[in-house]
Amino acid sequence: MTKPTLNILLASPRGFCAGVDRAIQIVEVALQRYGAPVYVRHEIVHNRYVVQGLEAKGAIFVEELDEVPDGRPVVFSAHGVPKSIPAEAESRQLMYVDATCPLVSKVHREAERHHADGRQIILIGHAGHPEVVGTMGQLPAGVVLLVESEEDVRTVQVDDPLNLAFVTQTTLSVDDTVQIVAALKARFPAIAGPRKEDICYATTNRQTAVKAIAAKADAILVLGAPNSSNSMRLVEVAAKHGCTNSMLVQRATQIDWAMMDNVKTLGITAGASAPDILVQEVIEACRERYDIQIEEVVTAVENITFKLPRGLAAAE
Ligand code: SF4
């Protein structure tokens, strides 16, 4: 029996970013250097496949430091941690390695600089996301105010409108954030901040790439986890740019093949914490059912890498 035809548009860039790559390497190098088990506070990156792969090598994932026994090393996840966490590790004399993405650390330093200059800080981000908890936790409680939407901008109460700055989560929707920043600048014209926002190159590039395929695709699959902010934003961006039939899947086994009935062109992308092997798994699942043709749609070429932290680099 001949298979139906399916055109696949592969968004590029997609999948792993430099910060995720570095965080995974940090756990692997720590396992080689210190032996198993190495503890990791919070999912090192928001992807079950990655987490299970590291667990198989001897990593143990915990949510809080009190689950780490004395004497074992602990790695902090790529999302960043409040200052109280390394302080607690030090007070317990735990050996820790901080896998916070350097682009998240950059936002932490920005917030500290604004605070040192006497400004109150507004963080644009999603309540409860570990990156937001980490950024707010760089400064004393109450110094950083969180806004999630233009509506929040209208109601946020600040101490002094002339002494304000904003920073953002790195994995937001670029388009939504433009609107929120515009609302902030309209209400607080003196607000200081980055030239645009702090959304990282990887989040920006993946959103641009998914926009490029959205209008041409009958459906889009985004490989990623529900707790991955940048993956969820890809689903939303695809829907807003012409493909309302966009959905998140963690593995090929989650694909709803019934919804594929009228799909002639399928777009595929992956969040920054989803490894390409999961994209290949989806392509193979499509190949079993369809006669597939693949076109890669490239909107940027990435060659960014981040060094391992001092103390873990190969020569040390
Ligand atoms: S998504 Fe951006 S901020 Fe997050 S780890 Fe990747 S490069 Fe860093």
Side-chain angles (χ1 to χ4, degrees):
M1 206 175 80
T2 56
K3 297 177 190 171
T5 303
L6 180 70
N7 298 314
I8 293 180
L9 297 176
L10 260 187
S12 179
R14 63 177 180 279
F16 273 10
C17 60
V20 162
D21 220 27
R22 173 179 178 270
I24 295 167
Q25 268 189 59
I26 286 173
V27 179
E28 287 174 339
V29 173
L31 281 162
Q32 285 161 16
R33 187 158 302 183
Y34 307 114
V38 164
Y39 285 76
V40 183
R41 184 185 175 277
H42 194 68
E43 285 189 345
I44 185 76
V45 300
H46 286 153
N47 189 278
R48 282 310 301 159
Y49 181 89
V50 170
V51 165
Q52 284 165 353
L54 292 171
E55 279 173 342
K57 293 179 184 172
I60 296 178
F61 289 83
V62 296
E63 277 311 306
E64 292 305 337
L65 273 193
D66 57 17
E67 298 167 66
V68 180
D70 289 341
R72 288 314 305 166
V74 57
V75 178
F76 303 146
S77 79
H79 314 94
V81 286
K83 275 215 158 74
S84 57
I85 300 299
E88 186 187 337
E90 276 161 29
S91 77
R92 284 185 53 201
Q93 298 182 321
L94 290 176
M95 220 291 291
Y96 68 85
V97 188
D98 188 352
T100 302
C101 175
L103 299 182
V104 174
S105 299
K106 180 169 153 276
V107 178
H108 292 177
R109 302 294 83 78
E110 266 173 48
E112 285 180 319
R113 186 169 47 78
H114 288 306
H115 180 55
D117 290 344
R119 298 189 180 103
Q120 193 175 25
I121 294 148
I122 295 180
L123 167 64
I124 305 172
H126 297 293
H129 188 278
E131 183 184 328
V132 164
V133 174
T135 300
M136 295 185 84
Q138 297 307 301
L139 293 167
V143 170
V144 183
L145 305 170
L146 181 67
V147 300
E148 299 189 77
S149 62
E150 289 178 71
E151 177 55 30
D152 286 353
V153 172
R154 278 189 280 279
T155 54
V156 67
Q157 297 292 321
V158 303
D159 295 338
D160 176 3
L162 298 178
N163 252 326
L164 274 184
F166 77 90
V167 295
T168 79
Q169 192 177 335
T170 57
T171 51
L172 301 175
S173 152
V174 174
D175 297 337
D176 293 353
T177 307
V178 166
Q179 306 292 330
I180 299 173
V181 170
L184 272 177
K185 288 182 173 172
R187 184 167 170 210
F188 308 115
I191 196 165
R195 196 169 54 84
K196 291 194 322 197
E197 18 64 12
D198 300 298
I199 298 172
C200 74
Y201 80 96
T203 299
T204 307
N205 287 348
R206 279 150 194 69
Q207 288 178 18
T208 304
V210 85
K211 282 179 197 174
I213 62 170
K216 298 179 208 153
D218 302 314
I220 289 185
L221 297 178
V222 177
L223 272 297
N227 58 347
S228 159
S229 172
N230 79 85
S231 304
M232 294 306 292
R233 301 298 80 78
L234 287 175
V235 177
E236 293 165 9
V237 169
K240 277 191 189 161
H241 284 81
C243 188
T244 46
N245 198 9
S246 301
M247 67 215 81
L248 189 80
V249 287
Q250 303 201 56
R251 298 294 296 258
T253 47
Q254 290 186 338
I255 298 172
D256 175 4
W257 295 103
M259 79 85 200
M260 291 280 291
D261 273 354
N262 297 316
V263 173
K264 298 272 176 275
T265 301
L266 175 69
I268 302 178
T269 187
S273 42
D276 208 53
I277 193 168
L278 301 183
V279 172
Q280 298 310 321
E281 186 184 87
V282 167
I283 292 173
E284 288 316 309
C286 291
R287 201 189 301 279
E288 281 171 19
R289 294 163 175 84
Y290 300 92
D291 180 12
I292 62 171
Q293 285 169 0
I294 302 175
E295 181 192 345
E296 188 149 31
V297 178
V298 182
T299 52
V301 175
E302 293 177 347
N303 47 24
I304 292 177
T305 55
F306 294 134
K307 288 188 191 137
L308 293 185
R310 261 199 288 178
L312 267 200
E316 292 178 73

